[in-house]
Amino acid sequence: MRALANAAAAVLLASSAASMLQELNLRGSHLLFRDKRHQLHVFDLAAQTRSSLLNFCQYVQWVPGSDVVVAQSRSNLCVWYSVKNPDRVTMISIKGDVEGIERSPGRTEVMVDEGLTTTSYALDEALIDFGSALDDLDLQRALATLEPLELTPETEAQWAQLAGVALEQEALAVAERCYAALGDVAKARYLHKVRRARTARRPALTYESV
């Protein structure tokens, strides 16, 4: 993956747009970079695709130990809890410049220098934990993380992401729950029928197996 990242970096730097390259995420799957106009982009190394995140970016960093992106665009703090969904961004109005990110057990804060004081902005730890669970393919933990959360644009993206991974892993019970949460009744019902058919053929099949 590191060789692939280096190759991607070479291609980006060879273009007239790229100038300031940012580090890879923890899993080495996505690369952040800013161009000469301070526009922020993310490069998916596996798909070899580039997505634009911000038209102007003065600060950007991965949240340590996660795939969450934190950036500043003028007076807005921008957070992507799922880098695979670049259009789903949480924006918070701030009065200063981002200094960095601090993580402690159960809490992640973005530190903002507001002149005379430094203000901390807490991130949604549940959404950060969701990403970690998904990376570990611990679908039950990812599901448990989303269950108590309200449906927002951010959590909707997480439900959709979990549904896709669940289908890839043939965890049909998890996928069914995801589509139910998303309001996709047709897909939820179809998966329920498939699960019942499988259970009828294999009576010993457990909930975790599907």
Side-chain angles (χ1 to χ4, degrees):
M1 183 62 75
R2 181 65 60 177
L4 182 60
N6 291 338
V11 172
L12 293 173
L13 289 173
S15 70
S16 59
S19 60
M20 292 182 289
L21 200 61
Q22 301 295 324
E23 63 183 19
L24 287 165
N25 62 344
L26 183 65
R27 295 183 295 116
S29 61
H30 291 77
L31 187 67
L32 288 171
F33 68 96
R34 288 181 292 182
D35 64 22
K36 294 179 180 179
R37 296 180 296 276
H38 287 262
Q39 294 177 336
L40 179 64
H41 308 269
V42 61
F43 191 79
D44 185 325
L45 296 176
Q48 293 289 290
T49 57
R50 181 176 64 180
S51 299
S52 178
L53 298 181
L54 291 173
N55 289 328
F56 179 81
C57 173
Q58 60 215 74
Y59 173 94
V60 62
Q61 183 182 340
W62 296 102
V63 171
S66 79
D67 286 345
V68 176
V69 177
V70 171
Q72 181 179 357
S73 179
R74 297 185 172 88
S75 62
N76 290 314
L77 177 65
C78 308
V79 184
W80 288 265
Y81 288 100
S82 173
V83 73
K84 293 182 179 180
N85 296 278
D87 58 323
R88 301 298 179 93
V89 55
T90 299
M91 302 188 74
I92 304 169
S93 179
I94 58 176
K95 298 178 180 179
D97 297 321
V98 175
E99 286 188 327
I101 302 171
E102 294 184 359
R103 293 206 74 180
S104 58
R107 190 169 182 83
T108 302
E109 297 176 313
V110 180
M111 311 307 294
V112 178
D113 181 1
E114 297 184 346
L116 297 177
T117 62
T118 298
T119 303
S120 63
Y121 293 81
L123 301 185
D124 192 322
E125 198 67 23
L127 295 183
I128 296 175
D129 289 343
F130 168 83
S132 298
L134 208 58
D135 291 342
D136 296 336
L137 291 180
D138 190 342
L139 304 190
Q140 293 296 336
R141 180 160 64 94
L143 182 62
T145 300
L146 291 181
E147 286 284 13
L149 304 181
E150 295 182 5
L151 191 63
T152 65
E154 292 80 14
T155 56
E156 184 178 357
Q158 308 288 11
W159 279 112
Q161 188 177 359
L162 179 56
V165 175
L167 288 177
E168 291 175 359
Q169 299 296 315
E170 297 189 3
L172 301 188
V174 175
E176 178 187 339
R177 177 66 188 95
C178 291
Y179 287 117
L182 290 168
D184 194 331
V185 178
K187 285 185 179 179
R189 286 179 176 174
Y190 172 76
L191 289 171
H192 184 72
K193 290 180 180 179
V194 172
R195 289 204 307 116
R196 290 186 61 183
R198 286 189 174 187
T199 302
R201 290 197 303 269
R202 294 180 291 176
L205 207 59
T206 64
Y207 178 86
E208 288 78 14
S209 300
V210 298

Short mmCIF file of all heavy atoms in Angstrom, two decimals, residues 25-56:
data_model
loop_
_atom_site.label_atom_id
_atom_site.label_comp_id
_atom_site.label_asym_id
_atom_site.label_seq_id
_atom_site.Cartn_x
_atom_site.Cartn_y
_atom_site.Cartn_z
N ASN A 25 -4.04 8.30 5.62
CA ASN A 25 -4.79 7.94 6.80
C ASN A 25 -4.18 6.69 7.43
O ASN A 25 -3.22 6.11 6.92
CB ASN A 25 -6.27 7.70 6.46
CG ASN A 25 -6.48 6.56 5.48
OD1 ASN A 25 -5.56 6.13 4.81
ND2 ASN A 25 -7.70 6.08 5.39
N LEU A 26 -4.73 6.27 8.56
CA LEU A 26 -4.14 5.19 9.34
C LEU A 26 -4.02 3.90 8.55
O LEU A 26 -3.02 3.18 8.65
CB LEU A 26 -4.98 4.95 10.60
CG LEU A 26 -4.47 3.89 11.58
CD1 LEU A 26 -3.14 4.33 12.18
CD2 LEU A 26 -5.50 3.65 12.68
N ARG A 27 -5.03 3.59 7.73
CA ARG A 27 -5.04 2.33 6.98
C ARG A 27 -4.31 2.45 5.64
O ARG A 27 -4.19 1.46 4.92
CB ARG A 27 -6.48 1.87 6.74
CG ARG A 27 -7.21 1.50 8.02
CD ARG A 27 -8.61 0.96 7.75
NE ARG A 27 -9.47 1.99 7.16
CZ ARG A 27 -9.98 1.93 5.96
NH1 ARG A 27 -9.71 0.91 5.17
NH2 ARG A 27 -10.77 2.89 5.50
N GLY A 28 -3.87 3.66 5.31
CA GLY A 28 -3.17 3.83 4.04
C GLY A 28 -4.07 3.71 2.83
O GLY A 28 -3.62 3.34 1.75
N SER A 29 -5.35 4.05 2.98
CA SER A 29 -6.29 3.91 1.87
C SER A 29 -6.63 5.23 1.19
O SER A 29 -7.07 5.25 0.05
CB SER A 29 -7.59 3.25 2.36
OG SER A 29 -8.22 4.06 3.35
N HIS A 30 -6.44 6.36 1.91
CA HIS A 30 -6.78 7.67 1.36
C HIS A 30 -5.67 8.67 1.64
O HIS A 30 -5.02 8.62 2.69
CB HIS A 30 -8.09 8.18 1.96
CG HIS A 30 -9.31 7.42 1.52
ND1 HIS A 30 -9.63 6.19 2.05
CD2 HIS A 30 -10.25 7.71 0.58
CE1 HIS A 30 -10.74 5.75 1.47
NE2 HIS A 30 -11.12 6.65 0.58
N LEU A 31 -5.49 9.59 0.70
CA LEU A 31 -4.43 10.59 0.78
C LEU A 31 -5.05 11.98 0.68
O LEU A 31 -5.81 12.26 -0.24
CB LEU A 31 -3.45 10.37 -0.36
CG LEU A 31 -2.17 11.18 -0.40
CD1 LEU A 31 -1.27 10.79 0.76
CD2 LEU A 31 -1.46 10.96 -1.73
N LEU A 32 -4.75 12.83 1.64
CA LEU A 32 -5.22 14.22 1.62
C LEU A 32 -4.16 15.12 1.01
O LEU A 32 -2.98 14.94 1.28
CB LEU A 32 -5.52 14.71 3.04
CG LEU A 32 -6.76 14.15 3.74
CD1 LEU A 32 -6.74 14.60 5.20
CD2 LEU A 32 -8.03 14.58 3.06
N PHE A 33 -4.58 16.10 0.20
CA PHE A 33 -3.61 17.08 -0.31
C PHE A 33 -4.33 18.37 -0.68
O PHE A 33 -5.53 18.39 -0.95
CB PHE A 33 -2.85 16.53 -1.52
CG PHE A 33 -3.68 16.34 -2.75
CD1 PHE A 33 -3.74 17.31 -3.74
CD2 PHE A 33 -4.42 15.18 -2.92
CE1 PHE A 33 -4.51 17.14 -4.88
CE2 PHE A 33 -5.18 15.00 -4.06
CZ PHE A 33 -5.23 15.97 -5.04
N ARG A 34 -3.56 19.46 -0.66
CA ARG A 34 -4.05 20.77 -1.06
C ARG A 34 -3.33 21.20 -2.33
O ARG A 34 -2.14 20.94 -2.50
CB ARG A 34 -3.82 21.80 0.04
CG ARG A 34 -4.71 21.62 1.25
CD ARG A 34 -4.46 22.67 2.30
NE ARG A 34 -3.15 22.53 2.92
CZ ARG A 34 -2.72 23.30 3.91
NH1 ARG A 34 -3.47 24.28 4.35
NH2 ARG A 34 -1.53 23.11 4.44
N ASP A 35 -4.05 21.89 -3.20
CA ASP A 35 -3.42 22.36 -4.43
C ASP A 35 -2.90 23.79 -4.24
O ASP A 35 -2.93 24.34 -3.13
CB ASP A 35 -4.38 22.24 -5.62
CG ASP A 35 -5.61 23.12 -5.47
OD1 ASP A 35 -5.57 24.12 -4.71
OD2 ASP A 35 -6.63 22.82 -6.12
N LYS A 36 -2.42 24.39 -5.30
CA LYS A 36 -1.80 25.72 -5.21
C LYS A 36 -2.79 26.80 -4.82
O LYS A 36 -2.39 27.86 -4.36
CB LYS A 36 -1.15 26.06 -6.55
CG LYS A 36 0.04 25.16 -6.89
CD LYS A 36 0.63 25.52 -8.24
CE LYS A 36 1.82 24.62 -8.56
NZ LYS A 36 2.40 24.91 -9.88
N ARG A 37 -4.07 26.53 -5.01
CA ARG A 37 -5.11 27.49 -4.63
C ARG A 37 -5.68 27.19 -3.25
O ARG A 37 -6.71 27.72 -2.88
CB ARG A 37 -6.22 27.49 -5.68
CG ARG A 37 -5.77 27.96 -7.06
CD ARG A 37 -6.90 27.94 -8.07
NE ARG A 37 -7.38 26.59 -8.30
CZ ARG A 37 -6.83 25.74 -9.14
NH1 ARG A 37 -5.74 26.09 -9.82
NH2 ARG A 37 -7.33 24.53 -9.32
N HIS A 38 -5.00 26.28 -2.52
CA HIS A 38 -5.43 25.86 -1.19
C HIS A 38 -6.77 25.13 -1.20
O HIS A 38 -7.50 25.14 -0.20
CB HIS A 38 -5.49 27.07 -0.23
CG HIS A 38 -4.14 27.57 0.18
ND1 HIS A 38 -3.54 27.21 1.37
CD2 HIS A 38 -3.26 28.38 -0.46
CE1 HIS A 38 -2.36 27.80 1.45
NE2 HIS A 38 -2.16 28.51 0.34
N GLN A 39 -7.08 24.52 -2.32
CA GLN A 39 -8.26 23.66 -2.37
C GLN A 39 -7.88 22.29 -1.80
O GLN A 39 -6.79 21.79 -2.04
CB GLN A 39 -8.75 23.51 -3.81
CG GLN A 39 -9.28 24.80 -4.41
CD GLN A 39 -9.71 24.64 -5.85
OE1 GLN A 39 -9.24 23.75 -6.56
NE2 GLN A 39 -10.60 25.51 -6.30
N LEU A 40 -8.81 21.71 -1.04
CA LEU A 40 -8.54 20.43 -0.38
C LEU A 40 -9.17 19.28 -1.16
O LEU A 40 -10.34 19.35 -1.54
CB LEU A 40 -9.09 20.45 1.05
CG LEU A 40 -8.91 19.17 1.87
CD1 LEU A 40 -7.42 18.86 2.10
CD2 LEU A 40 -9.64 19.30 3.21
N HIS A 41 -8.37 18.22 -1.36
CA HIS A 41 -8.84 17.05 -2.09
C HIS A 41 -8.48 15.79 -1.30
O HIS A 41 -7.58 15.79 -0.46
CB HIS A 41 -8.18 16.96 -3.47
CG HIS A 41 -8.29 18.21 -4.28
ND1 HIS A 41 -9.33 18.45 -5.16
CD2 HIS A 41 -7.49 19.30 -4.35
CE1 HIS A 41 -9.16 19.62 -5.73
NE2 HIS A 41 -8.05 20.16 -5.26
N VAL A 42 -9.19 14.71 -1.59
CA VAL A 42 -8.85 13.41 -1.04
C VAL A 42 -8.74 12.43 -2.19
O VAL A 42 -9.55 12.43 -3.12
CB VAL A 42 -9.90 12.93 0.00
CG1 VAL A 42 -11.29 12.78 -0.62
CG2 VAL A 42 -9.45 11.64 0.65
N PHE A 43 -7.70 11.60 -2.13
CA PHE A 43 -7.43 10.64 -3.20
C PHE A 43 -7.63 9.23 -2.66
O PHE A 43 -6.99 8.84 -1.66
CB PHE A 43 -6.00 10.81 -3.72
CG PHE A 43 -5.71 10.04 -4.97
CD1 PHE A 43 -6.13 10.51 -6.20
CD2 PHE A 43 -5.01 8.84 -4.92
CE1 PHE A 43 -5.86 9.80 -7.36
CE2 PHE A 43 -4.74 8.13 -6.07
CZ PHE A 43 -5.16 8.61 -7.30
N ASP A 44 -8.54 8.48 -3.28
CA ASP A 44 -8.81 7.09 -2.91
C ASP A 44 -7.80 6.22 -3.66
O ASP A 44 -7.86 6.09 -4.88
CB ASP A 44 -10.25 6.72 -3.29
CG ASP A 44 -10.64 5.33 -2.81
OD1 ASP A 44 -9.77 4.42 -2.81
OD2 ASP A 44 -11.81 5.12 -2.45
N LEU A 45 -6.87 5.62 -2.93
CA LEU A 45 -5.79 4.88 -3.57
C LEU A 45 -6.27 3.61 -4.26
O LEU A 45 -5.77 3.25 -5.33
CB LEU A 45 -4.72 4.52 -2.54
CG LEU A 45 -4.00 5.71 -1.90
CD1 LEU A 45 -3.04 5.24 -0.83
CD2 LEU A 45 -3.27 6.51 -2.96
N ALA A 46 -7.25 2.93 -3.68
CA ALA A 46 -7.73 1.68 -4.28
C ALA A 46 -8.51 1.96 -5.55
O ALA A 46 -8.32 1.30 -6.58
CB ALA A 46 -8.60 0.92 -3.28
N ALA A 47 -9.39 2.95 -5.50
CA ALA A 47 -10.23 3.28 -6.67
C ALA A 47 -9.52 4.20 -7.65
O ALA A 47 -9.97 4.37 -8.78
CB ALA A 47 -11.52 3.93 -6.20
N GLN A 48 -8.39 4.82 -7.21
CA GLN A 48 -7.65 5.77 -8.04
C GLN A 48 -8.54 6.93 -8.48
O GLN A 48 -8.55 7.34 -9.65
CB GLN A 48 -7.05 5.06 -9.26
CG GLN A 48 -5.96 4.05 -8.92
CD GLN A 48 -4.66 4.72 -8.45
OE1 GLN A 48 -3.97 5.35 -9.24
NE2 GLN A 48 -4.35 4.57 -7.18
N THR A 49 -9.32 7.45 -7.52
CA THR A 49 -10.21 8.57 -7.80
C THR A 49 -9.93 9.71 -6.83
O THR A 49 -9.50 9.49 -5.70
CB THR A 49 -11.68 8.16 -7.68
OG1 THR A 49 -11.92 7.62 -6.36
CG2 THR A 49 -12.04 7.11 -8.72
N ARG A 50 -10.20 10.92 -7.29
CA ARG A 50 -9.98 12.11 -6.47
C ARG A 50 -11.30 12.83 -6.26
O ARG A 50 -12.09 13.00 -7.18
CB ARG A 50 -8.98 13.05 -7.16
CG ARG A 50 -8.68 14.32 -6.37
CD ARG A 50 -7.62 15.15 -7.06
NE ARG A 50 -8.05 15.65 -8.36
CZ ARG A 50 -7.30 16.41 -9.15
NH1 ARG A 50 -6.07 16.71 -8.80
NH2 ARG A 50 -7.76 16.83 -10.31
N SER A 51 -11.54 13.28 -5.02
CA SER A 51 -12.75 14.03 -4.69
C SER A 51 -12.35 15.36 -4.07
O SER A 51 -11.40 15.43 -3.29
CB SER A 51 -13.63 13.25 -3.71
OG SER A 51 -14.04 12.02 -4.25
N SER A 52 -13.07 16.40 -4.40
CA SER A 52 -12.81 17.72 -3.84
C SER A 52 -13.59 17.89 -2.55
O SER A 52 -14.79 17.58 -2.49
CB SER A 52 -13.21 18.80 -4.84
OG SER A 52 -13.01 20.09 -4.29
N LEU A 53 -12.91 18.37 -1.50
CA LEU A 53 -13.56 18.56 -0.21
C LEU A 53 -13.86 20.02 0.08
O LEU A 53 -14.95 20.35 0.54
CB LEU A 53 -12.68 17.99 0.91
CG LEU A 53 -12.38 16.48 0.86
CD1 LEU A 53 -11.52 16.08 2.05
CD2 LEU A 53 -13.67 15.67 0.83
N LEU A 54 -12.88 20.92 -0.15
CA LEU A 54 -13.07 22.34 0.15
C LEU A 54 -12.45 23.20 -0.94
O LEU A 54 -11.40 22.86 -1.49
CB LEU A 54 -12.42 22.70 1.49
CG LEU A 54 -13.07 22.15 2.77
CD1 LEU A 54 -12.17 22.48 3.97
CD2 LEU A 54 -14.46 22.71 2.97
N ASN A 55 -13.09 24.33 -1.23
CA ASN A 55 -12.54 25.27 -2.20
C ASN A 55 -11.39 26.08 -1.60
O ASN A 55 -10.53 26.58 -2.32
CB ASN A 55 -13.63 26.22 -2.69
CG ASN A 55 -14.62 25.53 -3.60
OD1 ASN A 55 -14.26 24.60 -4.33
ND2 ASN A 55 -15.87 25.95 -3.54
N PHE A 56 -11.39 26.20 -0.27
CA PHE A 56 -10.29 26.89 0.42
C PHE A 56 -10.05 26.21 1.75
O PHE A 56 -10.98 26.02 2.54
CB PHE A 56 -10.59 28.38 0.64
CG PHE A 56 -9.48 29.10 1.36
CD1 PHE A 56 -8.37 29.53 0.66
CD2 PHE A 56 -9.53 29.31 2.73
CE1 PHE A 56 -7.33 30.19 1.32
CE2 PHE A 56 -8.51 29.96 3.40
CZ PHE A 56 -7.39 30.40 2.68
#
